[in-house]
Amino acid sequence: MQDSILLTGGTGFIGSHTAVALAQAGYSFVILDNLSNSSSKVLDRLARLNASPLAFVNADVRDAQTLDKLFGEYKFSGVIHFAGLKAVGESVAQPLRYFDNNVNGTLQLLQAMQRAAVQKIVFSSSATVYGDPASVPIQESAPLTSTNPYGRSKLLCEDILRELFQADANWQIALLRYFNPVGAHISGLLGEAPNGVPNNLMPYVTQVASGQREFLQIFGNDYDTPDGTGVRDYLHVMDLAQGHVAALRALNAPKLLTVNLGTGQGVSVKQLVDAFARVNGVPIAHRYVARRAGDIAQCFADPTKAQELLNWKAQLGLDRMCADAWRWQSMNPQGFDTPL
Ligand code: NAD
Ligand code: UDP
């Protein structure tokens, strides 16, 4: 049996791009996803990109029987665990659903891994575990906190993985704290396809550009930032995907790695909107409105550890993120339902 990687949540936004990066790096993989926030049509796009999984399993990561069967069928050398719910507002309204899906899901997966003696996992954490940071750029040693059930679910999963490593130092664990992934695969075949009104900035911008939405609301222009709008660390989703390949390579021995994946560059809402309009030649109608509840002024990574520990550094700049996001939107007005 050939070694392969299990990708939970592999038909989602980051998982599908990581599938392409893994295939290019010569890994084979199986995708497990319950399609709660993605489309099976992603698989046709992966096939076009020569990144088909060995198998696609339409199942929930909390389904222990399916996991045991899968770990019996394949000799996985490791797991990349993307499966999770990620909408902050929804998590406030439905905390139990978020804790069950994200925390119980991770527990079920780890227990199945333990039963199968697979001890390598790359976990999707988030910069949200830093809460409202006291200073930027943020180092991994900054205090951890959470301000909503989504963030708390990520922090709890990190705690579980840290305790697991304390108990058994044979594990190989990477906690990857993503900053703000945006953009799409350069082919225009893969991208982000949110359900309903997008919560995140870039998908909202692309929908304004395409005429699906009238204007962008910029949430606050009175922050203590250079132009008053919120500052984030946007990184290209293909760079983030490469970060997972780098993490798998770095997990060549028992260890626990905790690493920020970001560019280290703070970009304001206004800068992103201006870059998008300039690069794509499409103006983005916008209005300044009140701050969004729970938002922080600025958040960007100190990416030094990623370079040192993973030999990873973001390569693609804001212009590429904007160009690729717009290509994806223009080529796929109905998301993955757009005929190929
Ligand atoms: P996504 O929603 O596009 O992908 C997640 C995938 O997991 C979806 O395909 C969904 O169907 C699947 N899924 C959810 N619950 C499942 C379950 N119980 N069993 C099986 N499959 C399940 O989200 P994404 O943006 O690709 O995010 C991937 C991971 O990265 C998530 O854990 C998310 O919390 C984390 N993350 C995302 C961001 C971001 O800005 N996109 C930032 C930081 C961390
Ligand atoms: N934002 C905005 N209008 C929108 C969506 C987001 O002005 O329609 C701003 C938001 O206030 C923040 C930045 O864009 O300053 C990034 O928001 P996003 O939700 O994408 O990421 P997060 O806040 O989770 O880092």
Side-chain angles (χ1 to χ4, degrees):
M1 257 189 314
Q2 183 200 7
D3 276 9
S4 55
I5 303 293
L6 175 62
L7 292 192
T8 75
T11 46
F13 173 47
I14 305 170
S16 58
H17 289 81
T18 301
V20 175
L22 285 173
Q24 276 169 355
Y27 287 89
S28 56
F29 53 88
V30 170
I31 291 179
L32 177 141
D33 198 300
N34 66 359
L35 302 177
S36 59
N37 197 38
S38 56
S39 163
S40 60
K41 292 185 175 145
V42 167
L43 298 165
D44 302 333
R45 310 297 183 95
L46 289 178
R48 284 277 191 112
L49 293 166
N50 296 318
S52 285
L54 294 174
F56 169 68
V57 183
N58 182 350
D60 198 291
V61 75
R62 290 164 292 184
D63 176 349
Q65 271 188 344
T66 300
L67 290 180
D68 285 344
K69 190 163 164 275
L70 201 54
F71 279 102
E73 272 174 50
Y74 293 89
K75 188 172 180 302
F76 292 122
S77 57
V79 177
I80 308 183
H81 180 36
F82 295 108
L85 300 172
K86 62 168 181 176
V88 172
E90 198 178 64
S91 81
V92 175
Q94 303 173 25
L96 300 183
R97 180 172 164 236
Y98 268 67
F99 287 123
D100 189 31
N101 198 87
N102 293 3
V103 182
N104 187 26
T106 299
L107 270 180
Q108 295 291 341
L109 176 65
L110 291 170
Q111 286 166 345
M113 290 175 70
Q114 203 153 41
R115 288 192 291 273
V118 176
Q119 291 195 292
K120 187 186 297 199
I121 182 165
V122 177
F123 176 69
S124 297
S125 189
S126 166
T128 191
V129 299
Y130 299 119
D132 190 352
S135 63
V136 282
I138 308 171
Q139 294 183 341
E140 288 82 353
S141 55
L144 305 180
T145 182
S146 66
T147 52
N148 55 66
Y150 168 69
R152 173 62 61 181
S153 77
K154 289 291 167 191
L155 208 43
L156 285 169
C157 289
E158 282 204 5
D159 284 339
I160 289 166
L161 286 157
R162 277 187 285 268
E163 297 286 355
L164 181 60
F165 187 75
Q166 280 290 320
D168 177 357
N170 286 317
W171 277 82
Q172 304 173 16
I173 300 173
L175 306 178
L176 302 184
R177 295 180 179 154
Y178 313 156
F179 281 65
N180 289 57
V182 297
H185 191 263
I186 192 168
S187 63
L189 289 170
L190 289 179
E192 190 171 9
N195 286 322
V197 182
N199 292 310
N200 294 115
L201 179 63
M202 185 65 100
Y204 207 105
V205 166
T206 58
Q207 293 193 7
V208 173
S210 70
Q212 268 172 269
R213 314 225 169 251
E214 205 185 332
F215 60 90
L216 170 74
Q217 299 188 73
I218 297 185
F219 299 136
N221 60 353
D222 56 352
Y223 283 108
D224 186 15
T225 58
D227 64 23
T229 66
V231 167
R232 297 290 184 274
D233 186 336
Y234 298 97
L235 89 150
H236 197 292
V237 64
M238 281 311 298
D239 272 335
L240 180 55
Q242 293 299 346
H244 293 77
V245 176
L248 279 182
R249 288 191 177 131
L251 288 180
N252 51 4
K255 59 178 96 164
L256 170 69
L257 300 171
T258 306
V259 178
N260 287 338
L261 293 182
T263 64
Q265 302 290 318
V267 169
S268 74
V269 177
K270 191 165 186 316
Q271 282 174 319
L272 185 144
V273 166
D274 289 347
F276 189 97
R278 173 176 50 74
V279 168
N280 297 315
V282 188
I284 302 299
H286 57 272
R287 291 180 198 164
Y288 292 103
V289 300
R291 294 180 181 191
R292 182 171 65 178
D295 269 3
I296 57 178
Q298 46 182 352
C299 176
F300 56 94
D302 178 340
T304 312
K305 259 183 92 179
Q307 172 85 66
E308 282 171 9
L309 299 179
L310 308 185
N311 193 24
W312 174 91
K313 191 174 186 294
Q315 304 291 329
L316 305 170
L318 184 61
D319 286 8
R320 256 298 288 281
M321 300 179 211
C322 291
D324 290 345
W326 180 229
R327 184 180 309 103
W328 154 253
Q329 173 71 40
S330 320
M331 283 174 61
N332 302 275
Q334 292 127 42
F336 288 101
D337 288 331
T338 311
L340 272 175

